[in-house]
Amino acid sequence: MNFDINNLLRENIKNLVPYSSARDEFKGHANIFLDANENSLGSPLTKWYNRYPDPLQWKVKEKLSAIKGVAPEHIFLGNGSDECIDILYRAFCNPGKDNVIICPPTYGMYEVSANINDVELRRARLLDDFQLDLIHLENLVDANTKIIWLCSPNNPSGNALNREDVETVLNNFPGLVVIDEAYINFSRYRSFIPELQEYPNLVVMQTLSKAWGLAGLRLGMAFAGKAIIEIYNRVKPPYNINQSTQELVLKALDEVGQVNDMIKLIVQMREGLALALTKLPLVEKVYPSDANFLLVKVADAGAIYNYLLEKGIVVRNRSKVELCEGCLRITVGTEKENKDLIKNLESFIGN
Ligand SMILES: Cc1ncc(COP(=O)(O)O)c(C=O)c1O
């Protein structure tokens, strides 16, 4: 399989002269910054917020590099994974001409972003066990297929995709293969990050929104070969990660131990919650999970969803999603929240 990024890129992106910011053009040491039209007097907040942030977030990338075992030049940071997704569409997919493939049921933004960018979406539905249908996938690929989106562990099913299947896709598809590993920290299976060396068409996405507990800061990560990262950097808005996010993330990244403790606890609680749910007569099936949520098939998803809402508990009703008929998706909560959930589900039985 021959991968040539120039065969994939849109013509306008190949020829793009990116915006050059004041902070891009000046490298070195200075005391007086009169180059970026900032407010030199300061701000109503802590002093340094009057300055534009590092456009390429090198300090954050260096810390992430040590944690993930990837060189900083192989990392792109986005305003959430959603930005990492959207930029790939804008850089690689010609509106009204190219297509991408998703494997539903899966994370909704691959489809929304395709629609925003006027890119045709093809669906290779997962098999009944939520694994890839490789034959269907292969049949959907044509000369205009630019991206295959894989999500592992998958949302909303919670399972990891079989590694050999993902490798088959990587070995045979000459376009980009994106593996969204938003939930990888909760999984028994390894990340595909070490495979970046072998597959120049691979993009691995992760996020600080899940295991790291930083959904409010909006930091998504894409790991890929230098050629793909260079395209990401050309297309992104100049200052896409704000200063306070960069600072807070730098602090948080020192706390790997604390995050690992949370992950262990969440995985333990996931298993406890699964067991408690299984014992309820209204629960027909709890699907095995490698994530921080459970897909749960219940007797009457709509009624239970509404009943829980009345009790002030919000879960995700996935019962209208293909292969998830009758299912609720339930995030693992705190010990007390999980107990409250079970208690309320027990009282539904008595209704
Ligand atoms: C599979 C998957 N990818 C990405 C995201 C979003 O990540 P972020 O908060 O970094 O945009 C989610 C959020 O639910 C998700 O389920």
Side-chain angles (χ1 to χ4, degrees):
M1 196 270 303
N2 268 339
F3 175 77
D4 182 351
I5 197 163
N6 286 311
N7 294 339
L8 288 179
L9 273 175
R10 290 173 64 186
E11 227 26 60
N12 59 318
I13 302 297
K14 262 190 235 171
N15 302 326
L16 180 73
V17 179
Y19 177 72
S20 179
S21 71
R23 291 297 123 84
D24 283 321
E25 287 180 9
F26 170 76
K27 303 239 166 18
H29 181 76
N31 298 318
I32 300 176
F33 288 96
L34 305 176
D35 58 343
N37 300 345
E38 296 148 332
N39 184 337
S40 302
L41 302 187
S43 78
L45 297 172
T46 329
K47 208 174 100 211
W48 51 84
Y49 291 117
N50 59 336
R51 298 296 177 191
Y52 285 103
D54 175 2
L56 290 170
Q57 315 97 22
W58 286 116
K59 283 188 184 153
V60 177
K61 285 179 185 169
E62 270 154 29
K63 262 200 191 161
L64 276 173
S65 160
I67 295 169
K68 302 286 178 187
V70 188
E73 297 76 25
H74 290 261
I75 305 175
F76 169 75
L77 300 181
N79 186 351
S81 303
D82 300 334
E83 187 173 46
C84 302
I85 295 169
D86 182 65
I87 290 179
L88 291 184
Y89 279 106
R90 287 194 286 140
F92 291 95
C93 302
N94 289 293
K97 177 175 172 224
D98 291 329
N99 67 75
V100 303
I101 303 176
I102 63 166
C103 304
T106 193
Y107 181 49
M109 277 310 288
Y110 318 136
E111 176 163 2
V112 172
S113 211
N115 290 339
I116 290 169
N117 289 288
D118 191 20
V119 171
E120 185 199 341
L121 189 91
R122 299 184 174 183
R123 299 161 189 277
R125 201 168 93 160
L126 294 173
L127 299 167
D128 287 347
D129 60 356
F130 295 122
Q131 292 298 333
L132 294 177
D133 184 343
L134 289 175
I135 294 168
H136 192 185
L137 242 181
E138 188 183 4
N139 287 337
L140 290 180
V141 172
D142 67 15
N144 291 322
T145 307
K146 294 294 185 73
I147 306 174
I148 295 179
W149 296 97
L150 304 178
C151 186
S152 183
N154 186 41
N155 174 9
S157 53
N159 64 299
L161 298 175
N162 290 333
R163 203 169 183 91
E164 313 80 70
D165 291 352
V166 176
E167 281 167 0
T168 301
V169 177
L170 279 164
N171 281 317
N172 291 289
F173 177 60
L176 296 186
V177 179
V178 184
I179 308 177
D180 185 345
E181 294 187 338
Y183 300 99
I184 191 71
N185 301 83
F186 305 106
S187 174
R188 291 160 292 169
Y189 300 101
R190 282 180 296 126
S191 165
F192 268 84
I193 283 180
E195 266 45 77
L196 286 173
Q197 309 240 3
E198 192 170 337
Y199 300 107
N201 59 335
L202 170 62
V203 179
V204 177
M205 290 200 318
Q206 293 187 6
T207 175
L208 296 189
S209 298
K210 310 295 173 186
W212 281 85
L214 298 171
L217 296 187
R218 312 305 302 128
L219 198 98
M221 302 166 268
F223 304 94
K226 278 191 191 157
I228 296 174
I229 298 297
E230 202 258 320
I231 297 304
Y232 260 124
N233 288 336
R234 267 211 259 169
V235 175
K236 81 180 181 74
Y239 303 107
N240 62 326
I241 308 294
N242 70 66
Q243 179 68 17
S244 63
T245 293
Q246 292 195 37
E247 280 168 21
L248 289 167
V249 164
L250 268 178
K251 253 184 156 171
L253 291 176
D254 285 336
E255 306 301 334
V256 180
Q258 192 188 333
V259 172
N260 283 339
D261 288 346
M262 284 201 288
I263 293 166
K264 257 188 233 153
L265 193 58
I266 289 169
V267 168
Q268 238 175 45
M269 289 194 298
R270 178 186 76 202
E271 297 312 308
L273 182 61
L275 194 65
L277 285 164
T278 314
K279 289 182 182 154
L280 298 174
L282 58 75
V283 169
E284 290 173 10
K285 179 164 184 169
V286 179
Y287 289 85
S289 173
D290 269 285
N292 65 340
F293 58 82
L294 294 164
L295 187 69
V296 185
K297 195 172 170 74
V298 289
D300 186 348
I304 294 171
Y305 175 80
N306 287 328
Y307 177 79
L308 288 175
L309 263 191
E310 276 169 29
K311 303 288 176 184
I313 300 174
V314 201
V315 297
R316 199 87 196 261
N317 187 353
R318 299 281 81 184
S319 56
K320 302 247 160 20
V321 172
E322 51 199 315
L323 293 184
C324 299
E325 291 79 12
C327 287
L328 301 173
R329 195 195 69 194
I330 303 176
T331 307
V332 177
T334 63
E335 202 74 68
K336 179 174 179 318
E337 288 168 345
N338 298 339
K339 272 198 186 125
D340 280 0
L341 172 79
I342 296 294
K343 208 175 68 201
N344 278 292
L345 286 172
E346 280 167 351
S347 70
F348 179 83
I349 303 163
N351 242 14

